[in-house]
Amino acid sequence: MPRIRPSLIALAATAVVLAGCASGPQSLPPAGIVAEISCAGMDPFGGDPATDAGRVPDDFEPVAAVRCVPFQEVEDDDGVWSVVLRERLEGDLTAVLAAQAEPDDARWPGACAAIATIAPLVWLTDAAGRGIRLRYPVDGCSQPKVELIGDALAGLAVVQTDEEQRTLTQPRAALDAGCAPTWSARPLQIVPPEELGELEGQAEAEVAPQPAPTWDGVQTIPWEPPRTPAPGEVETLRLCAYSTDEAANPTATPAPGAKTWVTIEVEGTAWFAGSRALDAAETRAVLEAAASAQPLPESCDDIPGSLVVLDAGQEGKAPITVELDGCRRLIVDHFRTFAAPPALVELLAG
């Protein structure tokens, strides 16, 4: 059986600071009725006007509620999936109908906080399976009263839970190898060759900060950013290979009950393609190449087809990224960019 692990998600959205005059609640049009309820492809900020929330239509008699629960995790033989769950809640709907029918608060005349609250998507369904989106009354700052509806739904019982959408976020092979499922094929920062000498001089001169009280009396804690290991500092490196070829993007058949199967596609994403452990000789060769690498001969921003990430698996040690084609960059300390020596590329591509 798959193991469901709830994950905590914090959602925030930027909004403008609002100000205006108070106004009384306005009568609402009836909610649009849909023939079939869906949680897949949810848009928490809006949706089709035909499914906009409103008052319960006169010809619609709800018998249950359907709650969409995104950002859950399910682990099975294929790996870890991000899933959208669909819960059916049954019981006495009196409190729910009363809560969603409450009028909106009068408009607050002052300034409102620059935040936006995302309300969970909830439907009401009738005996025929049709649905309307549950309405959230709003406060004086136009924020939905999530707790009002949540308290009303708490009086219902969850009688059925189904998966409606799932995304493979961590393939099993990557999990077992201890590798990230994806890696960015675009460096965090490309340092121009003319600045490399200056940065190297700074690195040699820098001294770890010492604890010292600040102006408000708070004592800081010294911290050094992770650095790439020096030759001889570690005996082995884990190699995680990645490819930007679409064929490497993991695919699978949806699980029973899942209506859609999707993957997250971002430009410059490289997908896990395999792993192996480097022996002591290979590790020393990699670290020596990283320590003596030269600047890129010219600026280049091509996305590689293949790259490898070499990690010592130790706290405070930064990984090394080597592009096997394209610009053939060698990236250390997370952002310092050099040219990968041909011998190193040949070693890692083998």
Side-chain angles (χ1 to χ4, degrees):
M1 292 288 291
R3 184 171 76 254
I4 296 179
R5 302 183 305 192
S7 59
L8 182 63
I9 283 290
L11 296 175
T14 304
V16 297
V17 176
L18 304 172
C21 300
S23 62
Q26 299 177 347
S27 59
L28 293 170
I33 302 176
V34 297
E36 183 179 2
I37 294 171
S38 176
C39 290
M42 297 181 303
D43 178 4
F45 294 103
D48 186 337
T51 65
D52 280 352
R55 63 178 174 84
V56 178
D58 295 337
D59 60 345
F60 186 87
E61 185 176 350
V63 297
V66 174
R67 178 167 55 200
C68 300
V69 188
F71 313 121
Q72 303 301 295
E73 286 190 348
V74 171
E75 183 172 350
D76 60 16
D77 292 342
D78 292 326
V80 175
W81 304 77
S82 175
V83 304
V84 177
L85 299 180
R86 170 180 167 140
E87 296 179 336
R88 182 181 176 91
L89 299 90
E90 295 183 355
D92 187 352
L93 296 176
T94 302
V96 175
L97 295 175
Q100 70 90 38
E102 285 196 9
D104 296 337
D105 290 351
R107 177 68 184 156
W108 172 248
C112 294
I115 60 173
T117 302
I118 298 178
L121 179 59
V122 180
W123 299 83
L124 295 176
T125 183
D126 64 8
R130 302 181 304 166
I132 62 170
R133 285 183 60 179
L134 182 72
R135 171 182 171 267
Y136 284 81
V138 299
D139 61 21
C141 287
S142 299
Q143 299 299 307
K145 296 183 178 180
V146 176
E147 291 186 1
L148 174 69
I149 297 299
D151 291 344
L153 291 173
L156 305 178
V158 177
V159 298
Q160 184 177 345
T161 301
D162 298 302
E163 285 184 28
E164 190 155 325
Q165 178 172 303
R166 51 168 39 197
T167 302
L168 186 62
T169 57
Q170 300 182 63
R172 173 57 57 191
L175 281 172
D176 292 344
C179 297
T182 61
W183 199 263
S184 175
R186 290 190 179 275
L188 180 62
Q189 179 180 350
I190 300 176
V191 182
E194 60 270 19
E195 296 181 12
L196 289 174
E198 180 182 349
L199 286 174
E200 288 174 349
Q202 290 178 358
E204 293 174 358
E206 284 176 356
V207 178
Q210 298 300 314
T214 59
W215 64 271
D216 57 1
V218 176
Q219 182 153 314
T220 59
I221 299 175
W223 177 81
E224 284 191 78
R227 296 294 182 188
T228 295
E233 195 173 354
V234 297
E235 294 297 323
T236 184
L237 291 171
R238 179 181 60 232
L239 182 152
C240 300
Y242 296 90
S243 172
T244 57
D245 190 324
E246 188 64 31
N249 191 345
T251 58
T253 303
K259 290 195 173 182
T260 60
W261 187 92
V262 297
T263 57
I264 300 173
E265 296 184 9
V266 180
E267 182 184 8
T269 296
W271 295 281
F272 175 77
S275 70
R276 65 185 177 93
L278 302 188
D279 60 28
E282 292 173 318
T283 296
R284 175 167 283 276
V286 169
L287 297 180
E288 288 178 348
S292 60
Q294 299 300 307
L296 285 167
E298 58 185 15
S299 179
C300 180
D301 195 30
D302 295 342
I303 294 179
S306 301
L307 59 91
V308 297
V309 178
L310 304 139
D311 191 0
Q314 296 180 11
E315 185 176 354
K317 306 300 183 188
I320 302 169
T321 301
V322 180
E323 298 174 351
L324 304 182
D325 52 28
C327 299
R328 295 198 171 185
R329 291 167 287 214
L330 184 153
I331 304 161
V332 299
D333 301 340
H334 290 297
F335 71 91
R336 301 177 65 206
T337 305
F338 299 90
L344 177 62
V345 172
E346 183 179 356
L347 170 67
L348 299 177

